[in-house]
Amino acid sequence: MIVLGIESSCDETSVSILEDEELKANLIFSQHFHKEFGGVIPELSSRAHLQQVIPLIKSALTKSKIELADIDVISATAGPGLIGALLVGLTFGKSLALSLDKPFVPVNHIEGHIFSGFLMKDKPEFPFLCSVVSGGHTLLLVVKSEFEIIKLGTTIDDAIGESFDKVSKMIGLGYPGGPLIQQYAQKGNDQKFKFPIGKTKNKYDFSFSGLKTAVLRQIQEIEKDSVINESIKNDIAASFQKAATEAITKRVTIALKEFNIKSLSLVGGVAANQLLREQFINIGKEFNKKVIIPNHEFCGDNAAMIAYRAMQYHKAGKRFSLSSNAYPSLNSSTFLT
Ligand code: KG4
Ligand code: ZN
């Protein structure tokens, strides 16, 4: 089975071709120009997707040595994400499916991330504990099977990636903040500032707004009689990164004691964070669980995970009408309960 995947939910246009378990192409165009605005500008994002989607499809077919007519299933991200951006990939995918008379699978972006570990040679085993850490979402899930996902917790305010981006802006590092915070943190002292780990009523929920405010207060305090120099930036980045990653690992450790799971997976854009990756590997050793963290290529937004999720749906016999629409929030996911 050959599946074409299209991803356009935010600031990456991506096209993939998956032939059964073999990924033939996963092309990603990152819209770096948002950097100068300090965040994603939705209208500019939609326009860039429009410019990129056709050339990327052509390049993916060439790279895979596959003809358009050989594609069995066409899939695209339907949500959550920026509505204008989503509509570009979704509408293109549906039109292509209609013109080629092929089935179309609309994919939930977060479900794509959840199963992105399956793109690796060593795959998660059900049931697995999944930590979704991205720019828009922070979730802790027990994935019992392909279509049975139990949500243990979610963020009650900011997402973890959003907090990396905001703290990065506060100390003048730019966008996207995650990789920059990581880079500065490597040179910093993570014990320098004591930042709080957000407490929540549900032990599996997350809160990052208090941490963000604590960083802001610390900056204001320093600026009373000094300036935020490079060395202070390094220490803030390291101390913040320590607190933000501990907020995730703390919940994961509690869940591992409570649930009988076979493996542990870390997915989403923030799964590219080196410290968090190391912490998960250590937790895996401590609890004797297999840990699956996708390669960097599959952590950030990519169409390989969309095609993979579409293949799971199609193989399970699930069929969709072309009237499915784009949706901005997570609520429309069919299997997250
Ligand atoms: O999954 P993703 O590409 O997009 C969403 O679906 O949201 O995640 C993007 C997020 C951004 O907030 C970015 O700052 C963060 O992932 N990120 C990182 C790192 N690389 C990307 N956060 C921490 N450390 C990193 N190395
Ligand atoms: Zn994402």
Side-chain angles (χ1 to χ4, degrees):
M1 184 192 294
I2 303 180
V3 184
L4 174 80
I6 305 171
E7 155 64 34
S8 70
S9 66
C10 191
D11 56 349
E12 258 95 28
T13 321
S14 180
V15 172
S16 67
I17 295 177
L18 183 69
E19 184 170 8
D20 299 316
E21 291 292 315
E22 191 189 342
L23 186 62
K24 298 276 188 180
N26 182 40
L27 305 182
I28 303 171
F29 174 85
S30 293
Q31 303 173 358
H32 294 299
F33 59 80
H34 292 293
K35 275 183 189 154
E36 67 175 284
F37 306 104
V40 178
I41 309 290
E43 178 60 20
L44 296 184
S45 164
S46 310
R47 288 187 207 181
H49 287 307
L50 212 48
Q51 283 168 348
Q52 294 301 325
V53 70
I54 294 176
L56 281 175
I57 289 178
K58 284 185 176 160
S59 305
L61 289 167
T62 309
K63 185 165 187 248
S64 315
K65 298 189 179 72
I66 281 172
E67 301 285 322
L68 206 45
D70 299 332
I71 305 270
D72 298 303
V73 176
I74 292 163
S75 63
T77 305
L82 302 169
I83 204 77
L86 287 164
L87 279 171
V88 175
L90 185 70
T91 310
F92 190 87
K94 288 199 289 188
S95 311
L96 193 60
L98 185 67
S99 67
L100 296 172
D101 195 22
K102 301 283 167 150
F104 178 76
V105 181
V107 175
N108 180 287
H109 180 85
I110 299 301
E111 290 183 23
H113 277 303
I114 294 168
F115 292 92
S116 59
F118 287 84
L119 293 163
M120 306 302 295
K121 213 165 148 217
D122 197 15
K123 300 178 193 316
E125 277 174 54
F126 295 113
F128 67 93
L129 187 68
C130 185
S131 172
V132 181
V133 285
S134 78
H137 299 90
T138 313
L139 296 159
L140 189 62
L141 313 160
V142 174
V143 186
K144 293 176 84 175
S145 66
E146 282 183 8
F147 301 106
E148 217 180 340
I149 306 168
I150 296 163
K151 183 167 80 183
L152 301 182
T154 184
T155 180
I156 57 166
D157 40 55
D158 295 345
I160 182 169
E162 196 179 347
S163 75
F164 269 85
D165 295 336
K166 285 180 177 166
V167 167
S168 171
K169 216 173 188 174
M170 280 181 213
I171 55 174
L173 303 187
Y175 179 88
L180 291 162
I181 291 278
Q182 173 173 316
Q183 189 190 322
Y184 275 69
Q186 272 157 5
K187 294 169 272 172
N189 172 5
D190 65 7
Q191 304 294 324
K192 179 79 186 188
F193 304 109
K194 293 273 171 285
F195 292 136
I197 295 177
K199 289 202 178 71
T200 50
K201 223 160 108 190
N202 166 9
K203 64 184 177 206
Y204 294 124
D205 277 346
F206 304 88
S207 167
F208 291 97
S209 73
L211 170 58
K212 179 188 68 190
T213 309
V215 175
L216 183 64
R217 295 261 151 76
Q218 187 64 62
I219 293 170
Q220 288 166 342
E221 196 57 38
I222 297 166
E223 282 178 334
K224 275 185 189 161
D225 47 21
S226 175
V227 286
I228 307 291
N229 60 27
E230 289 301 291
S231 153
I232 295 174
K233 283 183 188 179
N234 293 339
D235 293 342
I236 291 177
S239 305
F240 159 77
Q241 185 180 246
K242 178 174 182 281
T245 54
E246 270 180 25
I248 304 293
T249 54
K250 200 176 140 207
R251 270 81 171 177
V252 165
T253 309
I254 300 171
L256 283 174
K257 288 178 188 154
E258 186 170 336
F259 296 93
N260 193 12
I261 59 109
K262 287 227 171 84
S263 47
L264 174 63
S265 191
L266 174 70
V267 299
V270 185
N273 185 271
Q274 198 50 39
L275 177 65
L276 197 53
R277 296 174 83 92
E278 284 163 15
Q279 287 167 337
F280 267 67
I281 289 164
N282 290 339
I283 293 173
K285 281 186 191 141
E286 188 187 333
F287 286 86
N288 200 20
K289 305 284 178 204
K290 180 160 117 172
V291 179
I292 309 294
I293 310 173
N295 287 346
H296 283 66
E297 177 188 3
F298 308 125
C299 288
D301 292 343
N302 67 88
M305 67 183 191
I306 302 305
Y308 191 89
R309 186 62 178 149
M311 180 138 66
Q312 286 182 320
Y313 274 94
H314 197 77
K315 280 192 172 160
K318 298 184 193 294
R319 300 293 178 262
F320 301 85
S321 92
L322 285 175
S323 61
S324 60
N325 213 341
Y327 47 87
S329 71
L330 183 62
N331 303 339
S332 313
S333 169
T334 334
F335 295 102
L336 270 173
T337 52

